[in-house]
Amino acid sequence: MFDYDRAMADKENHVFTNIHNENLEDLPDDPSANYNLDDWGTIVHDEDYIFVALFLKSDGNTRKFVLQEENFLEALDNYGPQNLIMQELEIIDGNEWLDYQRRKY
């Protein structure tokens, strides 16, 4: 009888070729795996609010952020509220934003 658990644990067994891959660099990047992360890498939940904001940088260019609420407040601290372009500020329900992200992938 085939011992499934023993075969899975045996690194020399080549029946299961993908479970003991030591070189993860060979795996392609999957952009859909991060669909629920804001621009700063924070996981967005349905009950969160997402802030799409433009900030004026010191060199005169703008920087767009899509951030969860706590990260938006941190961006305000970092870039200064005087550099927030209020006309471009958009606040989106987390559930709506996640649905949009899921449809993209």
Side-chain angles (χ1 to χ4, degrees):
M1 178 188 242
F2 182 72
D3 188 348
Y4 180 82
D5 292 329
R6 192 163 138 191
M8 290 284 288
D10 183 6
K11 290 187 178 191
E12 301 300 316
N13 186 327
H14 297 289
V15 173
F16 303 102
T17 58
N18 63 340
I19 62 167
H20 295 297
N21 186 356
E22 301 294 329
N23 189 2
L24 296 178
E25 293 175 13
D26 293 344
L27 299 175
D29 288 335
D30 182 6
S32 68
N34 298 323
Y35 80 95
N36 63 337
L37 300 180
D38 71 0
D39 286 349
W40 288 6
T42 301
I43 295 174
V44 175
H45 301 282
D46 290 337
E47 61 273 1
D48 290 334
Y49 286 101
I50 299 300
F51 291 76
V52 180
L54 277 176
F55 285 93
L56 187 61
K57 294 176 19 180
S58 59
D59 62 5
N61 292 321
T62 58
R63 175 94 193 257
K64 179 180 178 180
F65 290 107
V66 178
L67 299 171
Q68 183 253 9
E69 185 176 357
E70 285 86 17
N71 290 344
F72 172 73
L73 294 174
E74 189 174 331
L76 272 177
D77 289 341
N78 292 345
Y79 290 92
Q82 70 278 7
N83 293 319
L84 174 65
I85 303 172
M86 286 298 296
Q87 299 89 317
E88 298 295 325
L89 179 63
E90 186 177 353
I91 303 171
I92 304 170
D93 179 61
N95 191 32
E96 181 183 334
W97 184 79
L98 287 169
D99 284 344
Y100 170 76
Q101 291 295 98
R102 287 182 198 112
R103 285 194 303 270
K104 269 184 13 182
Y105 299 106

